[in-house]
Amino acid sequence: MEKTNKRLIKSTSDRMISGVCAGIAEYFNLDPTLIRLLWAILTFCGVGSGIILYIIAAVIVPEE
């Protein structure tokens, strides 16, 4: 069985702000719009915690 080396990276082709959500969607083989909606719900229901997590991810996650 062949093991693939999957890495979480920010997308440069499908980015809205910094490419974090598109990179997460690519990593899990999901639609980027779904990840963006879930992130927006986290931000509004979590009283802004999504914004802090997004900024941290934008700094830590490398680009393509």
Side-chain angles (χ1 to χ4, degrees):
M1 195 171 7
E2 185 178 319
K3 184 178 178 182
T4 59
N5 190 9
K6 237 176 160 181
R7 292 182 42 204
L8 177 61
I9 53 174
K10 292 188 287 189
S11 175
T12 56
S13 60
D14 189 19
R15 65 174 25 172
M16 294 293 259
I17 297 175
S18 72
V20 172
C21 290
I24 292 171
E26 187 176 310
Y27 184 81
F28 290 110
N29 286 333
L30 296 171
D31 185 28
T33 305
L34 177 66
I35 299 298
R36 290 178 183 124
L37 283 172
L38 290 173
W39 208 291
I41 291 169
L42 173 70
T43 300
F44 291 119
C45 294
V47 191
S49 62
I51 294 171
I52 295 167
L53 291 173
Y54 192 89
I55 292 169
I56 292 170
V59 171
I60 293 175
V61 177
E63 287 195 20
E64 275 185 315

